[in-house]
Amino acid sequence: MSPLKLGAVLQMDPGAIMGGGAFLLVVTVIGLLFFATSRYRRCPANKVLVVSGSVGRGNSAKCISGGGTMVWPIFQEYDYLSLEPIQIDIPLKDALSFENIRVSVPSVFTVAIGTEPEIQQNAAIRLLKLTPEQIKRQAQDIIFGQLRQVIASMRIEEINRDRDSFLHNIQTSLEPELKKLGLVLLNVNITDINDESGYIEAIGRKAAAEAVQKARGDVADQEKMGEIRVADAERERVIQVANAHKLREIGIREAAREQAVRVAELDKEQKVGEQTAAFERDMAVKEAEQLKRVAVANADAKAIAGEAQSQAQIVATQAQLKVREAEAYQVAETRKREAEAAVQESQNRAMAKAALADAERVEAERRAQLEAPAKAEKARTIVEAEAAAEKRKLEAQAEAAAIYAKLEAEARGQYEIMAKKAEGLKLIVDACGGSKEAYSMLMLEHIDNLAQTAATAISNIKMDKVVVWDGGNGKATGSFLQGLAGTLPPMMDVIQNIGGVELPSMFGRLVEEPEAVPTDLVPVTKIIAEDGTATTAAAPAN
């Protein structure tokens, strides 16, 4: 730039420079807003915005539902997936059930693209830019296969009766397959279930027949209950009438009893009064007679005052005797009258009690006629049950006690036997100087039993003759005995090593003696008897 132009620029107004910068800034901001507005994409609530291209690692697309995002040109592109439900008609026919019966299950399935991120990713991969009809055909093929599979795993009665379980099985089997496409199952509507063989229709007729039979049974039960209630009402009426009659009879009997008691009391009072008046009259007569006799006696006593004292005492004694006789007669008559009055009173009371007892007897008889059989049966049943239970309890306790006592006695006996046996064996071992010596001694004690047992075992074998073969040297007996002695060491070795039985030393003892033997023989076993003689034997090699 030339110095002239540079100076012109420097001489420009600063306000013009600032205005130009602000204008440039406003234009830039407007351009950026226009660019952002043209590249920002919003997503409606009933759709899914799918942004593909450069969306980040690990994702083939970015799915946005109910929001918005920037879509950069060249690097990204976008499209929409509809979230609206899709109804799919499934005219399923001739599907084999668990019983191999072909059934037709026409139904309507409602599906839609899922709202979960994973399901939306599957939908973006497999369903993007497909028409609803294409999506419907893909889902329809999957639904046909899974529905046939579910029907094949269930019986017709389960499908027809338990629809909830049938729908649950369909959802459980179908939803994982639909999620692979990016769809979710919203609803299943089974419009009908039928079969060509008429099995379901037969089940319906059976259910209808059972319902009819149940209704008839319910009607019969209600009629029975009505008759029972009528019978109960009639029984209550009879019982109440009987109770009313009983109360009337009891009232009549009580009135008669009170009347009889009152009459008896009045009779008693009358008779007591009469007896008392007669008693007082007789007593007054007797007192008058007594006074008369006393007066006569006194007059006689005064008249014969001069008589001897003894005669006076006799007369006095006679007078006292007469007085005592009168008094005794008076007491006797009084008690007689009182006894008669008491007898009459007792009779009256007895008559009253008899009337009362007769009324109570009639009531008790009528009550006993109704209650006695039931109470007797109840008491007998209770007594028999209690007796049987008590008997079983006593028998069980006695049996348990006897078994326990028997087992305890047997255990104690076995313990005592084993304890004594152990003590005896311990004494034998201590006396012999060791267990082996004691074992040998016990074997000697039983050797006769062993020999007798062996002899008994072969006693029934009939042997007509015994033939001894020799080797042609003319020494048959000697060779036989020598061979028999040669078999003794192996036999003792087998008894000791295999049977665990050690024979007494009188039969000899086993001693291992290495020496040169032919190649076809094994090591020699020597038996040394108590007298010092030795017997050697060898077994052939295998």
Side-chain angles (χ1 to χ4, degrees):
M1 182 179 296
S2 64
L4 182 60
K5 292 181 178 181
L6 180 60
V9 171
L10 292 176
Q11 290 179 0
M12 290 179 65
D13 188 4
I17 296 173
M18 293 179 63
F23 177 74
L24 292 175
L25 179 62
V26 171
V27 172
T28 303
V29 170
I30 293 173
L32 291 175
L33 288 175
F34 178 76
F35 176 78
T37 303
S38 64
R39 305 314 304 171
Y40 186 81
R41 296 292 179 263
R42 295 183 302 275
C43 180
N46 63 339
K47 292 184 179 181
V48 177
L49 175 62
V50 180
V51 179
S52 59
S54 179
V55 294
R57 297 180 180 178
N59 293 324
S60 59
K62 181 171 69 173
C63 298
I64 300 172
S65 178
T69 185
M70 293 292 297
V71 179
W72 301 104
I74 301 173
F75 301 102
Q76 294 177 339
E77 65 177 357
Y78 70 95
D79 205 338
Y80 292 96
L81 288 173
S82 177
L83 294 178
E84 293 180 356
I86 301 173
Q87 287 189 348
I88 304 173
D89 292 331
I90 305 297
L92 181 63
K93 295 182 179 180
D94 297 335
L96 284 175
S97 66
F98 184 80
E99 300 97 333
N100 292 325
I101 297 175
R102 295 190 177 275
V103 296
S104 298
V105 186
S107 55
V108 177
F109 285 73
T110 303
V111 299
I113 294 175
T115 58
E116 297 179 3
E118 182 180 357
I119 299 176
Q120 289 181 352
Q121 286 288 330
N122 294 337
I125 295 172
R126 296 179 176 87
L127 303 179
L128 189 63
K129 296 184 178 180
L130 294 181
T131 63
E133 290 298 326
Q134 292 174 336
I135 296 174
K136 185 183 297 185
R137 283 197 299 271
Q138 291 190 10
Q140 192 175 32
D141 295 337
I142 296 174
I143 293 172
F144 267 113
Q146 297 301 319
L147 186 57
R148 288 181 183 275
Q149 181 179 353
V150 172
I151 293 173
S153 65
M154 298 183 67
R155 300 178 183 274
I156 292 180
E157 291 185 359
E158 295 175 351
I159 297 172
N160 189 41
R161 183 180 65 251
D162 194 357
R163 295 293 181 91
D164 293 337
S165 177
F166 180 46
L167 295 177
H168 176 73
N169 292 339
I170 293 175
Q171 292 176 355
T172 304
S173 176
L174 185 59
E175 284 183 348
E177 301 299 326
L178 292 177
K179 287 181 179 179
K180 295 177 183 179
L181 289 179
L183 300 174
V184 294
L185 182 63
L186 299 181
N187 184 35
V188 179
N189 184 15
I190 306 298
T191 58
D192 192 11
I193 298 176
N194 53 63
D195 64 309
E196 296 179 354
S197 62
Y199 183 74
I200 297 177
E201 184 179 358
I203 293 175
R205 289 197 299 269
K206 176 183 176 182
E210 291 178 353
V212 171
Q213 294 296 329
K214 185 177 183 301
R216 291 179 179 176
D218 293 339
V219 171
D221 292 337
Q222 293 300 323
E223 291 178 353
K224 180 183 70 174
M225 294 300 296
E227 293 179 358
I228 292 173
R229 286 194 293 268
V230 171
D232 291 339
E234 183 66 21
R235 180 174 59 83
E236 291 294 333
R237 185 185 65 79
V238 173
I239 292 173
Q240 291 178 2
V241 171
N243 290 331
H245 286 300
K246 180 184 73 173
L247 294 175
R248 183 175 62 81
E249 292 293 334
I250 292 173
I252 294 173
R253 293 289 183 174
E254 287 179 352
R257 180 188 64 185
E258 291 177 357
Q259 181 181 2
V261 170
R262 184 58 181 165
V263 170
E265 289 178 354
L266 294 175
D267 291 339
K268 180 188 72 173
E269 292 176 358
Q270 180 182 359
K271 291 182 179 181
V272 168
E274 292 176 355
Q275 295 293 332
T276 302
F279 169 73
E280 291 176 354
R281 182 194 62 192
D282 293 339
M283 186 174 62
V285 171
K286 295 300 180 182
E287 288 178 354
E289 291 179 353
Q290 179 183 5
L291 292 176
K292 177 182 178 181
R293 291 178 180 178
V294 171
V296 171
N298 290 332
D300 291 339
K302 290 178 181 180
I304 59 174
E307 293 181 356
Q309 187 66 28
S310 58
Q311 185 68 30
Q313 292 179 352
I314 293 172
V315 172
T317 301
Q318 290 177 352
Q320 292 178 358
L321 179 60
K322 295 294 184 179
V323 171
R324 290 179 180 177
E325 289 178 354
E327 291 177 353
Y329 179 79
Q330 180 183 0
V331 171
E333 288 294 327
T334 302
R335 290 181 179 178
K336 178 180 178 182
R337 299 300 182 181
E338 290 177 352
E340 290 177 355
V343 168
Q344 187 65 30
E345 183 179 2
S346 299
Q347 290 178 354
N348 294 332
R349 289 180 180 178
M351 291 175 64
K353 289 181 179 180
L356 180 62
D358 184 65
E360 292 177 351
R361 179 181 60 80
V362 172
E363 180 182 359
E365 287 178 355
R366 293 186 178 181
R367 184 181 299 172
Q369 290 177 357
L370 298 175
E371 298 178 354
K375 290 183 177 179
E377 182 65 21
K378 178 181 177 182
R380 183 181 64 80
T381 304
I382 294 173
V383 171
E384 289 179 354
E386 291 178 351
E390 189 67 22
K391 179 180 179 182
R392 287 194 296 270
K393 180 179 178 182
L394 294 175
E395 290 177 352
Q397 291 178 353
E399 184 178 358
I403 293 173
Y404 177 78
K406 179 181 178 182
L407 294 176
E408 184 179 14
E410 291 179 354
R412 289 181 179 176
Q414 292 293 333
Y415 174 78
E416 294 295 333
I417 291 172
M418 297 301 293
K420 297 298 182 182
K421 192 172 183 179
E423 292 177 0
L425 291 174
K426 182 178 180 182
L427 294 175
I428 292 173
V429 171
D430 294 339
C432 293
S435 59
K436 292 185 178 181
E437 290 77 3
Y439 177 74
S440 300
M441 186 191 72
L442 293 174
M443 284 294 295
L444 290 175
E445 290 181 358
H446 296 285
I447 195 68
D448 53 348
N449 293 331
L450 295 175
Q452 183 179 358
T453 303
T456 303
I458 63 174
S459 61
N460 294 327
I461 300 176
K462 296 182 179 181
M463 292 181 291
D464 297 335
K465 60 182 178 178
V466 178
V467 180
V468 180
W469 300 83
D470 62 353
N473 54 6
K475 298 179 180 181
T477 305
S479 299
F480 174 72
L481 295 177
Q482 184 178 3
L484 182 62
T487 61
L488 186 59
M491 180 179 68
M492 292 179 63
D493 184 66
V494 170
I495 292 174
Q496 182 176 355
N497 294 332
I498 297 177
V501 178
E502 184 176 358
L503 297 177
S505 59
M506 61 179 293
F507 293 102
R509 63 180 182 275
L510 295 175
V511 178
E512 297 291 338
E513 180 178 338
E515 60 181 60
V517 296
T519 58
D520 58 345
L521 296 178
V522 296
V524 177
T525 301
K526 179 183 287 185
I527 299 177
I528 302 176
E530 291 183 350
D531 56 358
T533 60
T535 303
T536 304
N542 294 333

